[in-house]
Amino acid sequence: MLLSNLGASEPVVPVPEHHGLTTGQLCAHAGRFFLATGVAGILGSLSGLSHSYWAMVAADTQAIPLMRQAANGST
């Protein structure tokens, strides 16, 4: 449903500040998440263990601090 249909002329929730990352940096972060999750999923499946999808969850949670650092301008 469009906000204009509701009669809202301003954002309904506060708009967060811009993250300061370029499109290239955002694509790099997305690529890291995709690659880490994909490799973990493949290795988890090849291991033959049950619940191998937890490897994918663990891979994503390890990448989150890297994304926060980049958003804050540090490397």
Side-chain angles (χ1 to χ4, degrees):
M1 179 180 276
L2 296 174
L3 290 179
S4 60
N5 292 344
L6 298 175
S9 60
E10 296 179 8
V12 178
V13 295
V15 178
E17 292 184 30
H18 191 269
H19 44 72
L21 300 176
T22 65
T23 303
Q25 290 170 323
L26 288 175
C27 288
H29 284 303
R32 287 185 201 115
F33 274 97
F34 181 76
L35 182 65
T37 304
V39 169
I42 290 169
L43 293 176
S45 295
L46 291 176
S47 71
L49 299 173
S50 63
H51 308 296
S52 60
Y53 54 86
W54 281 109
M56 297 168 65
V57 174
D60 272 351
T61 57
Q62 294 302 313
I64 290 172
L66 297 174
M67 191 167 140
R68 286 188 184 146
Q69 286 177 355
N72 292 331
S74 60
T75 56

